[in-house]
Amino acid sequence: MRAVDISAVKIPSRRPASGRDDLSWWREARLGLFIHWGLYAIPAGVWHGKRVPYTGEWVMWREKIPFATYSRLARRFHPRHWDAAGIVRLAKEAGMGYLVITAKHHDGFAMYRSDASPYNVVDATPWHHDPLADLARECRRGGIRLCFYYSQDLDWQHPDGAWNDWDYPGKKDPDRYLREKVFPQLTELLTRYGPIGMIWFDTPLTLSRPRSAAIRRLVKRLQPRCLVSGRIGHGLGDYSLPRDNFLPPGRLEGDWETCATLNHTWGFKRHDHEWKSAANLITTLVDLTSKGCNYLLNIGPDADGRVPAPSVARLRAMGAWLRVNGIAIRGAAPSPFRNDFPWGRITTRGRTLYFHFFGQPPRWFRLHGLLSRVRRITALAGSRKAFPFRQMVEPATGTPILAINFTGARRTKPVTVIAVELAGLSRVETLALQQPDETITLIGPMARVGTTAKQPAMRMGGNGLSENWRNTADFLEWRFTVLHPGTYEVAVVTTHQHLEPWSGGHTLRVECAGSTLRGVTRRDALLPGLRSAYYPQIASRFGSLTFTRAGDFQLRLQADKLKLLKKNKTLFSDGGIQLSEIRLTRA
Ligand code: JFZ
């Protein structure tokens, strides 16, 4: 049983040669405001009386609207209720530290005064107004970092931009597009609005690495401290992003940010009222912070510039919770443990761990695996009364156990935060441990990739899901500790983006404790949980394992026969198995 000193856990730092850490403000913020606003707010998800599926800002591409037609929307863009000060005030009320607005989205329309293209909000609309200038002023006043979203690859206005093959079916000349539009516009954005925190690039689908590198060089030459988001592609970003609305299965290594919608669209859609609850948003913020992932939450103002009331209400509710519990989020480091807990999550700040309970803290609470000595345990909200606790060692395995008596603990909804002050930096067991609720969860990020071939093709994605699982030689392996001998049901949990096909029907085998279980990945059960909204957690039952003793064990998962179907391939997924975790539940 090997212990880990948290100071040894590589908390990411991209300290450039200058020694300056340009990511510190971003890490401190943890929560940011995303704003998708543009001409697409006018059709608002409806075209020729028909509701257009998917996200509103893609209407031009979904309906293959000729540029000549779509661009006429600019004549109707006159937002009488645009209120930059109100939006910055809302971001501050929500406890957000930065704001990312669409300076130019895929439709190619510039939401600022651009000399490089007349297709912009000042020259092409009756409003003749630059909303980015307003935001620059208000962000400076409000102490919020202003950042710009810029679609560097997809552009449905410029003949050489990507993905408009209905107006411009011919071969593209990306260098002309970069020369005529991207470079001049990025120069405008980075020389006219003061210090910019970040350029949030997106959908790196067609631009080569050298061209993407040239874009990065331009940004860093104009503003050396301006961050570049991971979706510049080719690993050239200052931090990484998983897919939209993605929640990782466990703590990730490095700096990550998940961007998310409040309903199911980025650009305003008048018929999308499926708003996430404030409880879901706060719980998701806690989940992501515990995994070292920022949360960039989106609003889509309507064509008049109004922020939908349900969005305002939810962001204000997040702010109210953060006014009491912000210390456990802002500037907090992730959990020392790689995995989640059934009861909630953990974040870290110096020598204090914050236990975030998604329900009422149980009277008799136990945590397995904390090696550090605990000094004091108190609730963040209400009385600072200290809760009695004991630290002991489970004799059979030597596993440290922290037992806390939460009698009298008052629940704060939706998440109750308890501060656990340690005598030193936190140190935890590294192996996956059986939890007090008897479950043993083996998540992707804790697996070792191995193979019986020379080199494995499979890899564990930075987002914690398996990628490129294409053969029967590769395998995933975990080491874990069983505290209580007995029989456990085994479930293999795989996932997929909810709008894309699930890759199932694979014959896999589980080897552990001298047994081999074989099974086919079927939809035996859908596991509830935060992640399942956009990435269904599909459990396939593989039978049971019996552990005759307590102690450390190894489990190997390998394929006997893969069912790799072309139809399962998508732009963002290789169509193979996306393993989330293996779950062992006491029979
Ligand atoms: C992109 C845009 O296409 C969309 O309009 C919005 O701006 C969003 C924030 O980003 O959508 C994506 C980008 C990447 C993935 C999915 C949707 N992905 O990696 O799966």
Side-chain angles (χ1 to χ4, degrees), residues 572-587:
F572 301 109
S573 151
D574 63 16
I577 301 176
Q578 294 187 72
L579 182 96
S580 199
E581 64 187 52
I582 293 188
R583 190 172 289 195
L584 281 60
T585 313
R586 194 81 190 244

Side-chain angles (χ1 to χ4, degrees), residues 347-494:
T347 60
T348 309
R349 197 186 180 86
R351 295 181 175 201
T352 301
L353 298 180
Y354 293 96
F355 293 8
H356 299 253
F357 287 90
F358 292 167
Q360 170 68 40
R363 186 152 184 210
W364 303 110
F365 171 78
R366 283 178 167 234
L367 176 76
H368 295 169
L370 179 62
L371 289 147
S372 309
R373 189 163 61 75
V374 172
R375 269 235 177 92
R376 186 175 159 77
I377 300 176
T378 55
L380 268 195
S383 87
R384 304 295 286 150
K385 168 173 112 41
F387 295 102
F389 65 90
R390 228 152 36 84
Q391 291 189 269
M392 54 207 146
V393 173
E394 205 280 326
T397 60
T399 300
I401 296 177
L402 167 64
I404 307 172
N405 175 344
F406 278 125
T407 304
R410 197 165 59 75
R411 182 176 179 194
T412 55
K413 289 189 173 172
V415 178
T416 305
V417 184
I418 302 291
V420 178
E421 294 164 41
L422 308 176
L425 287 178
S426 62
R427 289 180 334 106
V428 301
E429 298 289 5
T430 53
L431 296 190
L433 283 175
Q434 182 166 13
Q435 294 298 322
D437 71 349
E438 305 276 67
T439 58
I440 301 166
T441 305
L442 307 175
I443 57 173
M446 294 179 83
R448 182 181 74 80
V449 175
T451 186
T452 53
K454 281 207 183 54
Q455 277 300 324
M458 181 211 299
R459 55 182 179 270
M460 188 48 66
N463 63 0
L465 298 180
S466 58
E467 293 171 358
N468 204 37
W469 193 340
R470 316 208 64 73
N471 64 46
T472 59
D474 299 350
F475 57 78
L476 294 172
E477 210 162 58
W478 292 264
R479 285 175 48 71
F480 60 99
T481 307
V482 171
L483 275 69
H484 302 129
T487 299
Y488 292 77
E489 296 302 330
V490 177
V492 172
V493 183
T494 55

Side-chain angles (χ1 to χ4, degrees), residues 117-170:
S117 165
Y119 187 49
N120 70 73
V121 68
V122 175
D123 300 323
T125 78
W127 192 32
H128 300 306
H129 186 81
D130 183 338
L132 299 194
D134 298 339
L135 281 174
R137 182 187 62 248
E138 296 304 331
C139 281
R140 249 192 318 278
R141 282 194 188 138
I144 295 273
R145 293 265 172 162
L146 175 63
C147 312
F148 294 141
Y149 171 108
Y150 191 86
S151 179
Q152 80 280 15
D153 195 339
L154 274 57
D155 187 302
W156 307 325
Q157 172 273 324
H158 192 287
D160 296 300
W163 279 39
N164 178 340
D165 52 7
W166 58 99
D167 285 319
Y168 317 113

